[in-house]
Amino acid sequence: MTHALMAAIGMPGFPPAEDLVRLLPVLILSTGFVLLLLLDLVTPPSARTALAVLSAVFLAATLGAVILGWFDTAHHGLAYYGSYAYDRFGLFVDGIILASALVVVLISPGYLNRRGLHYGEYYALILGATVGMMLLAAASSLVVIFLGIELLSVSLYILCGFAHTEERSQESALKYLMLGGFASGFLLYGMALVYGETGHTTLTGIRASLDALHGTDSLLLIGIGLMFVGFAFKISAAPFHTWTPDVYQGAPTSVTTFMSVTTKVAAFAALIRVFSSTFEGTYLKWNGIVAFVAIVSMVIGNLAALGQTSVKRMLAYSGVAQAGYMLIGVAVQSPQATVGSLYYLAAYAAMNIGAFAVITMMAGRGEDLDSYDSIRGLAFRRPYVAAAMGLFLFSLGGFPPTAGFFGKFFVFSAAIQHGQIALALWGIATSAVSVFYYLKVGLLMYSRPREGEAGYDWARTTVAGSVALAATTAGTLVLGIFTYLIYSAATLAQMGTFPVPPNS
Amino acid sequence: MTAVDLLAYVVAGVALVSAAGVVLSAKTIYSALCLVGNMVSLAVLFLLLNAQFVAAVQIIIYAGAVMVLFVFIIALLDPGHDPDYEGPRRDPRLWVGIVAVGYITAQVFALAVNGTTYSKADHVLQGQRLAQAANPGDQHSFAFDPGSVNAAGNVQVLGRELFTTFLLPFEITSLLLIVAAVGAVYLTRRLPHAPAEPPGATAPVAALPEETAPEPGRETVGVG
Amino acid sequence: MLSIELFPLLLGLSAAMFTVGAVGVLVRRNPLVVLMSIELMLNAVNLAFVDYGRYLNSEDGQIFTLVVIVVAAAEAVVGLALVSQVYRSGRELDVDDLSEMRE
């Protein structure tokens, strides 16, 4: 609105109208967000599924705009005075985020109805969070990175507390808010120091400053370190992961499905853009910390997941470990490593959303399919769902020919090629550990329920749920079998990054 | 040392003491008052740093709106004393904290005395800004401090920046505010049907001391 | 006008406030005080931004400060809504007592 107005007045220095084209995907989704809020006021409670359909339409339209944008290389570049990058890197990540959000919207109505939580704000907030993630993925200035993180975080705080009369949900939201705010503080102080030491808030300017400076001040390095702490909180890498299990477990499962994947993907995109691309010149000063956090995440995540008795908590710790694997791609400075990380993000989205979607769809009335006991015997009543879940678990454990295997393969091989064999060995050793807990859940699904025990009341699979499961299954298999497709897309994304391709 | 510098020292002292007060006060309302004091003293520092608009916003939004919200919630909930917090002398962690504060502050101060990397480097942007300031037809003519290189902090400059260079962030904040407003309304709304959760599920509540039980909040959704 | 020698002093002050806020988040258990400590951290960030901006003669720091103020307000609104909701359902205001989960 302001934009059109100011452009009409002809204010000097106003961003060109062309920038609106570059912002198109975000604009479509923001329109959807506002429209859903307004329509919620006039929609009767019985027709709220229509809101889900509408949000799915907007997500699909945005996905379409993103795909068109992928081929629209003429417009690629920085917009809004270098604060927004319209490039293949951002669009690749946008694609992952939007596809994940679409799956979440598909499985949500059934789940929310069973839990008695079907309110229109849910979809608006999902779209709001998605807008924040897309902005974060495309952000090329510190201000937009911060605002993107906050937009997605504030939406997610509310979504975590969406079952706001339930104590678990309240607790989850409050914990997430407090630790999220704490992390934002670190991120911001880091940004303040980086801004102060380089004199810029845009990544282009920061990189130019760093290149011109040849030497780095301690305060700048402290700033970089604090920014990394802030990001590590958001991607839930150990030792900044303590909020993850509680928040994941307490939040409504459909929200957990959404946040466990999309937050990580979007924050990783920003992390790669800031660290692998902008701070590349100071790589030797921070790569040790990143590698250390990666190793700690892999070790703590996998070991803690072993002892869990709740599927949600197990997947939360497994997410910590997966963040560790992905961080290898940042700790190793080579284009292959970045591509490997991008591939891993896509694979992680497909398999993790799938696994959480099963938990969401099977959740009974008023309670979540959470404990290991409740998943026992799933295969005998819901063979297809159990088979899909088995596939996701295989993929998370890193078995070929699934997405997870190739994700790990690309990241580890990039590390080995770059001489960081220790990192790859830690990764391989901890993946071996992870097989135990993934298989444990798999075996539980295929073991008969104990005699004399009340069977768990699994929900019926809805049509939308089947579509969602089919899509995530297909995604996991396609990423595993037609590896080349996604790998070349990730390579194009890496090469097409503005302002500077990471590790080039 | 000029009189302005002296004022800055005094206000900085007030800011530090009130910041400590936020964390050390046993009563929540005192923490809130200390935070107001901290914000007001920061606003004075902003004025001294030639950031008039930010100082005004700090007072109006932060010390005004946000803190009023805090005080309102404190008055509504009446948390009184922090039940487990016995003041600074009883808690060894606070002494660790004080040492940490002292150490980190000293480090940052020592590093900052050397000036920033940016200011030591001969940078392109510096030249740009000098050229900008030298241009008399610029909006910079409304300089609070004519001697300074530019008038960073004057309202016109900020306004122009906000609608040109920082247009995108400015528009994102509008989305953020809608999300926060919708969220606050949703989270505090009473649902037409409270979920049928057994009261026994909230065992810790039973152990609460009686005087901290929320009498005014009882008629709301609650557990029972 | 403030002399430039005060730049490190104010940066040190911001570091002190930031650490005090961080200690508050870690030590205190009342969610309202934790939220206020987070506000303190964000205030420290604001001071650092304005201080650096003055030192560098760049207004970007002040714009960033405005953005931080907006975000802090948004976060405080949501945080206080959650706190009041927790309190409404009749629970003690204590971060550590929020442990329905963890089995």
Side-chain angles (χ1 to χ4, degrees):
Chain A
M1 217 27 224
T2 349
H3 198 127
L5 211 71
M6 291 303 211
I9 298 169
M11 183 167 163
F14 202 75
E18 202 189 12
D19 285 355
L20 279 178
V21 178
R22 299 184 167 128
L23 203 61
L24 189 64
V26 174
L27 287 179
I28 296 176
L29 210 55
S30 317
T31 313
F33 164 71
V34 177
L35 200 64
L36 275 170
L37 277 182
L38 293 176
L39 283 179
D40 179 43
L41 298 174
V42 294
T43 315
S46 56
R48 287 206 177 112
T49 312
L51 294 176
V53 174
L54 189 66
S55 55
V57 167
F58 270 103
L59 285 169
T62 314
L63 192 57
V66 164
I67 291 168
L68 283 180
W70 176 271
F71 298 105
D72 175 31
T73 41
H75 281 105
H76 285 193
L78 295 176
Y80 290 98
Y81 291 96
S83 47
Y84 179 88
Y86 185 63
D87 57 7
R88 284 194 164 162
F89 181 85
L91 292 170
F92 183 85
V93 177
D94 282 353
I96 302 176
I97 294 167
L98 288 166
S100 312
L102 205 51
V103 171
V104 170
V105 167
L106 281 179
I107 59 171
S108 291
Y111 174 78
L112 294 175
N113 274 328
R114 277 199 302 285
R115 296 286 306 270
L117 291 175
H118 207 191
Y119 296 102
E121 288 93 344
Y122 177 87
Y123 302 105
L125 288 171
I126 290 266
L127 292 200
T130 313
V131 169
M133 288 158 188
M134 290 173 66
L135 286 167
L136 182 56
S140 61
S141 89
L142 298 182
V143 192
V144 179
I145 290 177
F146 171 62
L147 277 172
I149 284 193
E150 285 303 319
L151 184 53
L152 81 87
S153 299
V154 171
S155 310
L156 284 175
Y157 301 151
I158 303 160
L159 282 172
C160 281
F162 205 74
H164 66 273
T165 50
E166 286 171 31
E167 301 201 350
R168 282 185 160 201
S169 187
Q170 290 171 356
E171 175 187 335
S172 156
L174 202 55
K175 258 190 187 151
Y176 192 25
L177 182 124
M178 284 174 179
L179 285 166
F182 192 54
S184 300
F186 280 95
L187 183 76
L188 269 177
Y189 207 83
M191 284 178 172
L193 291 178
V194 168
Y195 157 68
E197 297 297 315
T198 60
H200 293 273
T201 53
T202 58
L203 297 188
T204 332
I206 291 169
R207 166 128 188 171
S209 259
L210 289 179
D211 288 348
L213 291 176
H214 310 299
T216 40
D217 244 355
S218 311
L219 276 181
L220 176 67
L221 292 177
I222 294 173
I224 292 176
L226 286 175
M227 278 186 76
F228 182 69
V229 171
F231 278 121
F233 262 104
K234 289 294 163 197
I235 60 173
S236 60
F240 311 106
H241 68 289
T242 41
W243 57 274
T244 319
D246 289 351
V247 172
Y248 280 18
Q249 195 186 7
T253 316
S254 61
V255 176
T256 314
T257 312
F258 181 64
M259 66 187 281
S260 70
V261 168
T262 46
T263 316
K264 207 168 277 192
V265 171
F268 246 100
L271 185 71
I272 291 172
R273 219 190 268 274
V274 171
F275 277 79
S276 303
S277 172
T278 309
F279 294 156
E280 198 200 340
T282 54
Y283 168 76
L284 288 175
K285 302 261 172 66
W286 50 259
N287 76 323
I289 300 170
V290 178
F292 174 75
V293 171
I295 292 173
V296 172
S297 304
M298 292 186 290
V299 172
I300 291 188
N302 281 317
L303 289 183
L306 278 176
Q308 297 305 317
T309 53
S310 144
V311 186
K312 268 171 150 182
R313 288 182 83 84
M314 182 276 277
L315 284 174
Y317 279 114
S318 116
V320 173
Q322 308 274 353
Y325 301 135
M326 290 183 243
L327 268 179
I328 293 180
V330 181
V332 178
Q333 194 191 30
S334 74
Q336 288 93 335
T338 308
V339 175
S341 275
L342 282 175
Y343 187 91
Y344 206 126
L345 288 178
Y348 177 72
M351 60 201 185
N352 211 50
I353 279 237
F356 268 116
V358 170
I359 311 288
T360 310
M361 288 166 46
M362 292 290 109
R365 184 173 299 278
E367 67 180 319
D368 287 337
L369 181 77
D370 205 344
S371 65
Y372 277 17
D373 284 337
S374 57
I375 206 167
R376 181 187 290 272
L378 183 70
F380 295 96
R381 297 246 216 104
R382 301 273 192 282
Y384 296 113
V385 174
M389 183 69 172
L391 177 75
F392 301 137
L393 291 172
F394 263 116
S395 181
L396 282 164
F399 287 97
T402 52
F405 170 76
F406 286 101
K408 282 188 179 130
F409 175 76
F410 291 136
V411 172
F412 294 163
S413 60
I416 290 170
Q417 273 173 25
H418 208 69
Q420 306 234 24
I421 296 165
L423 263 181
L425 284 180
W426 275 105
I428 292 165
T430 49
S431 318
V433 174
S434 74
V435 171
F436 287 103
Y437 58 83
Y438 291 126
L439 282 190
K440 191 172 164 191
V441 175
L443 285 176
L444 271 176
M445 291 190 307
Y446 283 91
S447 53
R448 289 209 170 274
R450 288 200 195 93
E451 286 299 317
E453 216 172 76
Y456 189 85
D457 183 25
W458 291 303
R460 298 182 65 84
T461 324
T462 57
V463 178
S466 312
V467 172
L469 265 196
T472 44
T473 310
T476 311
L477 285 175
V478 164
L479 277 157
I481 295 166
F482 303 101
T483 318
Y484 179 75
L485 268 179
I486 309 295
Y487 190 80
S488 45
T491 312
L492 287 174
Q494 187 269 335
M495 290 192 300
T497 312
F498 282 89
V500 190
N503 302 320
S504 55
Chain B
M1 189 195 287
T2 62
V4 180
D5 285 4
L6 195 65
L7 177 64
Y9 277 111
V10 173
V11 176
V14 174
L16 191 58
V17 170
S18 54
V22 174
V23 175
L24 297 181
S25 306
K27 274 196 168 183
T28 321
I29 190 76
Y30 291 164
S31 294
L33 289 178
C34 285
L35 192 52
V36 172
N38 181 269
M39 284 165 176
V40 171
S41 45
L42 276 197
V44 175
L45 286 178
F46 290 166
L47 273 181
L48 295 179
L49 286 167
N50 209 3
Q52 298 87 358
F53 183 62
V54 177
V57 170
Q58 171 91 2
I59 296 280
I60 295 169
I61 308 287
Y62 237 145
V66 174
M67 285 321 291
V68 165
L69 201 61
F70 265 101
V71 173
F72 178 75
I73 291 287
I74 292 170
L76 187 73
L77 304 186
D78 186 27
H81 279 276
D82 203 340
D84 298 299
Y85 182 67
E86 292 155 352
R89 266 163 290 170
R90 300 284 177 81
D91 197 338
R93 290 174 301 175
L94 278 168
W95 291 105
V96 178
I98 288 168
V99 173
V101 170
Y103 178 75
I104 292 172
T105 311
Q107 286 294 317
V108 171
F109 179 77
L111 290 170
V113 168
N114 298 327
T116 70
T117 327
Y118 169 80
S119 65
K120 279 182 287 188
D122 186 25
H123 202 268
V124 191
L125 196 91
Q126 196 78 34
Q128 267 176 11
R129 296 211 183 282
L130 283 168
Q132 226 172 28
N135 181 6
D138 219 62
Q139 273 102 328
H140 291 281
S141 48
F142 184 74
F144 185 70
D145 169 31
S148 103
V149 182
N150 81 351
N154 101 39
V155 180
Q156 285 103 316
V157 174
L158 275 193
R160 199 184 50 172
E161 287 283 305
L162 214 49
F163 283 96
T164 54
T165 322
F166 291 93
L167 179 72
L168 184 67
F170 178 76
E171 303 219 3
I172 301 171
T173 50
S174 62
L175 272 181
L176 184 67
L177 288 174
I178 301 179
V179 166
V182 169
V185 169
Y186 175 81
L187 287 175
T188 49
R189 188 167 66 188
R190 291 172 204 179
L191 295 186
H193 50 89
E197 217 176 283
T202 57
V205 179
L208 287 185
E210 205 42 58
E211 72 268 21
T212 53
E215 284 310 323
R218 274 300 174 202
E219 80 276 8
T220 60
V221 180
V223 188
Chain C
M1 219 47 232
L2 211 56
S3 44
I4 204 73
E5 284 75 39
L6 259 72
F7 158 74
L9 176 90
L10 293 182
L11 198 63
L13 173 66
S14 91
M17 279 171 55
F18 186 81
T19 323
V20 168
V23 169
V25 173
L26 296 174
V27 169
R28 295 300 299 265
R29 298 165 63 184
N30 182 329
L32 286 169
V33 180
V34 172
L35 282 177
M36 282 191 252
S37 300
I38 291 173
E39 298 290 323
L40 199 58
M41 290 169 78
L42 295 181
N43 260 312
V45 169
N46 288 348
L47 181 58
F49 268 119
V50 174
D51 191 26
Y52 265 129
R54 174 78 192 102
Y55 186 68
L56 301 172
N57 281 318
S58 129
E59 59 286 328
D60 295 6
Q62 294 184 28
I63 303 268
F64 219 129
T65 303
L66 291 177
V67 167
V68 173
I69 290 176
V70 171
V71 167
E75 239 174 42
V77 164
V78 175
L80 290 173
L82 279 169
V83 169
S84 74
Q85 196 62 30
V86 168
Y87 200 72
R88 259 199 206 173
S89 47
R91 297 169 79 195
E92 178 65 5
L93 284 174
D94 187 329
V95 181
D96 290 350
D97 274 2
L98 294 171
S99 45
E100 259 299 286
M101 292 171 283
R102 198 170 300 169
E103 41 241 38

